[in-house]
Amino acid sequence: MGVPLSNRSKFVCTLLASAALFPSQAFAADAEATSSLDAFDDQTGTSPIVVTGVRSEGTDDYGVEEQSTAMRLPLSQRETPQSVSVVTRQQIDDFQLNDVNALLTTVPGVSVLAAETDRVYYSARGFDIQTFQIDGVGLPFAFGIQTGSLDTAIYDRIEVVRGAPGLLSSTGNPSAVINFIRKRPSTDLQAAGSVQYGSFDNLRLDGDVSVPITSDGSVRARAVGAYLDTDSHLDRYSLKRWTGYGIVEADLGPNTVVSAGYAHQDHQSRNAMWGAIPLYYTDGTRIDFDRSANYAPDWSGWNVIDRQIFGDIAHDFGDGWTARVTVLRRAVTEDDELFYIYGNPDRATGDGIFSYPGKFAGETRNFTVEAYLTGKVGIGGREHDIMIGANRGAQSYKQFSSYDYSQVGVPLPLDTLFEGNFPRPDFPDFELSLDQHTRRETVYGLFRANVSDALKVMLGGNYTHASSEGVSYGTPQDFDESKFLPFVGATLDLSSSISAYASYATIFRPQVELNAANEILPPIEGDNLEAGIKGEWNDGRLYASAAVFQARQNNTAFGMFDPALGRTVYTPVDAESTGVEFEFGGMIAPGLQATGGFTVMRIRDENDNPERTFVPRNTGRLNLVYSPPSLDRLKLGVSAQYQSDFYFEPGGVSVTTGEPIRIEQGDYALVDLMASYDVTDALGLSLNVRNVTNAKYLSSLTFDQSFYGAPRSVLASVRLSY
């Protein structure tokens, strides 16, 4: 997990563009509002045929009746033999989870590791989450890390399936897959808008408009827009983000729905850190720096633009058979001037830190097409489910870099490090540093056998061919790998509300990371085995689960930046994670919505030594919102996140004691509060307070640099709806 990673563009999975300034909250206020998919259901009498399924908008629920991220079939959480978490639109609005980093901190079993100001790692079950999907379609991050913050304004909900996503996405990790479900148009006119302002001059405007284009709503459109302009608890750091999304959807007769849209996000930061702050002196003792400390000069920043064009068509053939085809074209461009520092200072003199500025331009082009068919077949007097599909993705990536080597290795005294006054180098013309082309073709299938009224058995598999050609800093990036991966799962109803389940899934993923000898590491291989109990009550509006799991991942690239080579050097690591997860969510009582969970795990290497020690072993999540039945316009809520201690050993030793150096972050908990009040049906006010206790904590320890997370902050909102 070393730095820098040459500013390689990551899978930025937001997309957006539009022209409206009305937000999403209003749609959650109208329980009678129906989406196009709901209208489609009314016409055909079948379940939704699009992967988005039933909307979470329009209800106060913190759960959904069904999801299809795990295996394309519209199954309830109880029917799914894997661990599934859902963050609904209502939960997003209540706690103002306006970007994906804030949202994922509320999800049980997920850790958000902010390695830098603008690059983030995500982890579940001890391993990196590298597969983000949009409406069920997507490829893993190109380089395993997310660049730029992702706005949540355009999404109805987010579904997280923990474990190996090997059935549908074999080239992920045995950690989780995160599926972002886009908002869809409604058949009637709806509009909403909001203004938010809070600590650190945080200004946000967002909006949401849905309109019927034809009188009967058979053709409809929706536009979502959001603008963010904010400073930070870090000195001088600021961020501007524009987000837009537009979609047109049409019923082509009673059994066919077609849609097309465009999404856009522009992320621009200033005084942004590439890497983070050195944490220790050469004698191994910690450096004491302020929570607001930032070494980045004003010319340093990440500029990431993500554009996506998409379309899909879904058809109901009758008798339970449906099909969907999706096409996605994505383009991500980066234009970054960055400032990294390396080294550790001497405690007496403060000397030992050096400069490493760089300028980068990159462009990613991605084209993905996916088609799948689901239906029911009668065998042995019983009706069974079947799903088959295929996916093809092609991606090209070019990166250009520029270094003014006269400004590399300049000493930076610790006592002036955080003034952020390093002059902008005279960067020379760009040179091509990376030119890579990858392809992935996948076919998959699943048979869900209705063995008895109580027992369902799932047998499936995935065959994937992945290839790459190109060069990175003069080193070939070629691979050509194929593999079949099985999937097995089963659910057994123990009562009318309780089921037991078990599943086994596998993954593989070719790598392009290089060792010190400039050799590409072998492919990652892994699997996930889990078993547990799930329960659903109140017509599926309340669920709970308990699971034990074993996740294995071999040949994982572990990197450290080597200043002598001027790049990150990787070594393969084998690791196994075992643990227990508890989770619940939904309506606990009238007016009381909640989600939460707790994860306990251990991660060991092939020699039974602790591995990936920067990942917290124990995490807890709790989100509660209560609306008194006697005063249903009022909402009060609390959100808490707990992480156990974690540490990182950089491999060096103290110059005074000779003992190995270890950097530690103790366990901590963050508590957020919210209150909202609907003055009228059209006007609402809310107040959110984050990190109420003002806890001080390091954002991550993925390598030997870090910075502190945000202190207590306040955000006030005014929203209007029609």
Side-chain angles (χ1 to χ4, degrees):
M1 305 299 169
V3 226
L5 298 179
S6 304
N7 183 40
R8 298 171 178 178
S9 180
K10 315 322 166 237
F11 184 77
V12 183
C13 79
T14 314
L15 9 160
L16 324 206
S18 112
L21 278 183
F22 298 95
S24 55
Q25 291 94 328
F27 291 85
D30 185 1
E32 300 300 320
T34 56
S35 70
S36 61
L37 300 179
D38 298 328
F40 183 84
D41 295 345
D42 294 338
Q43 295 169 1
T44 64
T46 65
S47 301
I49 64 175
V50 189
V51 73
T52 53
V54 179
R55 297 193 316 172
S56 74
E57 290 184 289
T59 75
D60 291 330
D61 289 348
Y62 275 30
V64 293
E65 294 182 2
E66 64 185 39
Q67 57 77 39
S68 54
T69 299
M71 48 199 65
R72 295 287 186 264
L73 299 173
L75 303 176
S76 71
Q77 294 194 347
R78 182 182 168 191
E79 295 172 318
T80 304
Q82 288 183 281
S83 296
V84 181
S85 299
V86 180
V87 182
T88 64
R89 187 70 239 175
Q90 189 62 56
Q91 184 177 344
I92 295 172
D93 291 340
D94 284 344
F95 289 100
Q96 298 300 326
L97 307 175
N98 295 326
D99 67 65
V100 67
N101 299 332
L103 184 148
L104 291 178
T105 61
T106 70
V107 178
V110 174
S111 295
V112 178
L113 310 174
E116 303 158 284
T117 54
D118 295 70
R119 294 199 295 189
V120 181
Y121 291 94
Y122 309 103
S123 174
R125 297 185 173 177
F127 301 111
D128 293 342
I129 303 173
Q130 297 183 345
T131 302
F132 278 14
Q133 298 180 340
I134 309 289
D135 288 345
V137 178
L139 299 175
F141 293 147
F143 300 99
I145 192 172
Q146 170 63 44
T147 303
S149 58
L150 304 178
D151 202 289
T152 59
I154 72 171
Y155 302 114
D156 172 78
R157 68 187 183 277
I158 285 83
E159 298 176 351
V160 180
V161 180
R162 292 184 294 281
L167 177 63
L168 304 176
S169 183
S170 62
T171 53
N173 287 347
S175 53
V177 58
I178 300 174
N179 188 16
F180 294 79
I181 311 298
R182 295 189 189 98
K183 294 175 177 178
R184 296 275 172 159
S186 59
T187 57
D188 56 345
L189 174 63
Q190 300 179 53
S194 73
V195 178
Q196 300 179 345
Y197 186 79
S199 303
F200 316 116
D201 287 330
N202 185 333
L203 173 65
R204 179 182 174 89
L205 308 173
D206 69 319
D208 195 335
V209 178
S210 185
V211 297
I213 297 177
T214 58
S215 59
D216 62 353
S218 60
V219 182
R220 52 222 167 247
R222 190 167 187 174
V224 181
Y227 171 73
L228 175 69
D229 186 353
T230 183
D231 294 336
S232 168
H233 71 286
L234 298 174
D235 293 335
R236 302 179 306 280
Y237 178 87
S238 63
L239 171 65
K240 291 183 179 181
R241 185 176 67 216
W242 298 264
T243 301
Y245 164 68
I247 182 173
V248 177
E249 193 171 72
D251 301 328
L252 302 183
N255 301 316
T256 306
V257 177
V258 63
S259 65
Y262 175 74
H264 182 100
Q265 178 166 294
D266 190 338
H267 171 107
Q268 295 185 9
S269 65
R270 290 294 177 266
N271 293 94
M273 288 188 284
W274 182 28
I277 300 170
L279 297 176
Y280 60 94
Y281 296 100
T282 54
D283 64 2
T285 58
R286 288 281 296 271
I287 300 173
D288 183 21
F289 55 89
D290 294 336
R291 179 154 40 185
S292 62
N294 179 12
Y295 63 76
D298 59 7
W299 54 264
S300 179
W302 302 82
N303 301 294
V304 184
I305 298 176
D306 188 1
R307 301 175 298 277
Q308 293 194 19
I309 300 174
F310 60 91
D312 58 49
I313 183 170
H315 182 73
D316 185 343
F317 295 97
D319 297 324
W321 285 89
T322 61
R324 180 176 184 255
V325 178
T326 298
V327 178
L328 174 65
R329 176 72 172 177
R330 182 177 73 93
V332 178
T333 59
E334 292 194 43
D335 184 10
D336 313 317
E337 293 187 354
L338 301 170
F339 187 63
Y340 177 74
I341 61 175
Y342 64 93
N344 298 94
D346 179 84
R347 170 176 282 277
T349 66
D351 298 332
I353 300 176
F354 304 94
S355 64
Y356 197 97
K359 183 178 181 179
F360 307 93
E363 185 173 79
T364 302
R365 293 287 185 267
N366 182 291
F367 181 80
T368 304
V369 58
E370 179 157 18
Y372 67 88
L373 176 72
T374 65
K376 296 183 179 294
V377 295
I379 302 176
R382 288 185 171 275
E383 197 171 66
H384 313 274
D385 297 296
I386 190 170
M387 182 275 298
I388 56 174
N391 177 296
R392 185 183 189 278
Q395 179 173 275
S396 65
Y397 180 68
K398 286 187 177 182
Q399 179 188 276
F400 299 86
S401 59
S402 173
Y403 301 97
D404 181 355
Y405 287 103
S406 69
Q407 300 301 304
V408 174
V410 176
L412 302 172
L414 184 60
D415 59 356
T416 60
L417 179 65
F418 301 117
E419 295 178 1
N421 55 10
F422 193 90
R424 181 185 181 276
D426 184 16
F427 293 110
D429 293 339
F430 281 121
E431 295 183 358
L432 180 65
S433 52
L434 188 149
D435 187 1
Q436 184 180 8
H437 304 267
T438 61
R439 294 193 304 274
R440 191 188 75 172
E441 294 92 24
T442 297
V443 292
Y444 53 83
L446 178 73
F447 180 71
R448 182 174 181 257
N450 183 12
V451 179
S452 69
D453 291 346
L455 177 63
K456 308 294 188 293
V457 176
M458 302 180 188
L459 301 173
N462 174 310
Y463 181 81
T464 294
H465 172 246
S467 61
S468 172
E469 59 182 14
V471 63
S472 174
Y473 289 87
T475 301
Q477 301 282 283
D478 301 341
F479 61 76
D480 194 316
E481 304 281 350
S482 300
K483 198 170 184 73
F484 173 78
L485 302 171
F487 175 87
V488 181
T491 61
L492 176 65
D493 293 340
L494 304 179
S495 70
S496 59
S497 57
I498 304 291
S499 299
Y501 79 95
S503 65
Y504 174 77
T506 54
I507 61 97
F508 96 113
R509 183 166 62 84
Q511 304 185 91
V512 295
E513 287 82 2
L514 305 174
N515 61 19
N518 276 341
E519 299 169 334
I520 295 177
L521 299 185
I524 289 174
E525 297 191 5
D527 55 43
N528 180 85
L529 177 65
E530 69 175 274
I533 295 176
K534 294 186 176 185
E536 287 187 340
W537 303 270
N538 193 19
D539 295 326
R541 298 182 70 184
L542 174 65
Y543 73 91
S545 66
V548 294
F549 64 85
Q550 174 186 277
R552 296 184 296 184
Q553 184 166 303
N554 297 332
N555 302 322
T556 304
F558 178 82
M560 291 291 295
F561 182 68
D562 187 335
L565 296 177
R567 65 176 178 87
T568 301
V569 173
Y570 295 89
T571 56
V573 174
D574 298 345
E576 178 181 284
S577 169
T578 56
V580 179
E581 291 179 336
F582 303 93
E583 184 176 7
F584 70 95
M587 186 177 69
I588 297 178
L592 181 61
Q593 296 284 341
T595 64
F598 199 86
T599 300
V600 179
M601 65 181 176
R602 66 194 297 269
I603 311 171
R604 299 284 180 173
D605 64 13
E606 61 269 32
N607 299 315
D608 200 35
N609 297 314
E611 182 55 55
R612 298 180 65 81
T613 59
F614 54 85
V615 177
R617 271 33 180 181
N618 306 329
T619 59
R621 304 288 186 261
L622 179 63
N623 310 284
L624 290 168
V625 169
Y626 180 63
S627 181
S630 60
L631 189 60
D632 59 3
R633 290 183 177 272
L634 175 67
K635 280 187 178 181
L636 300 172
V638 59
S639 179
Q641 305 96 45
Y642 166 79
Q643 297 197 148
S644 63
D645 61 320
F646 52 94
Y647 65 93
F648 182 80
E649 295 178 335
V653 297
S654 169
V655 296
T656 56
T657 67
E659 296 294 322
I661 294 173
R662 173 184 290 191
I663 313 164
E664 300 179 348
Q665 169 60 58
D667 61 341
Y668 65 90
L670 303 177
V671 179
D672 304 334
L673 300 176
M674 65 79 57
S676 68
Y677 186 76
D678 293 333
V679 182
T680 67
D681 291 341
L683 173 64
L685 307 174
S686 64
L687 184 70
N688 293 79
V689 184
R690 295 197 171 102
N691 193 4
V692 174
T693 63
N694 206 32
K696 188 176 181 180
Y697 61 97
L698 292 174
S699 60
S700 72
L701 283 176
T702 56
F703 61 110
D704 62 350
Q705 298 180 351
S706 189
F707 59 96
Y708 288 110
R712 182 187 302 113
S713 64
V714 178
L715 182 67
S717 305
V718 179
R719 62 187 185 279
L720 297 171
S721 62
Y722 172 78

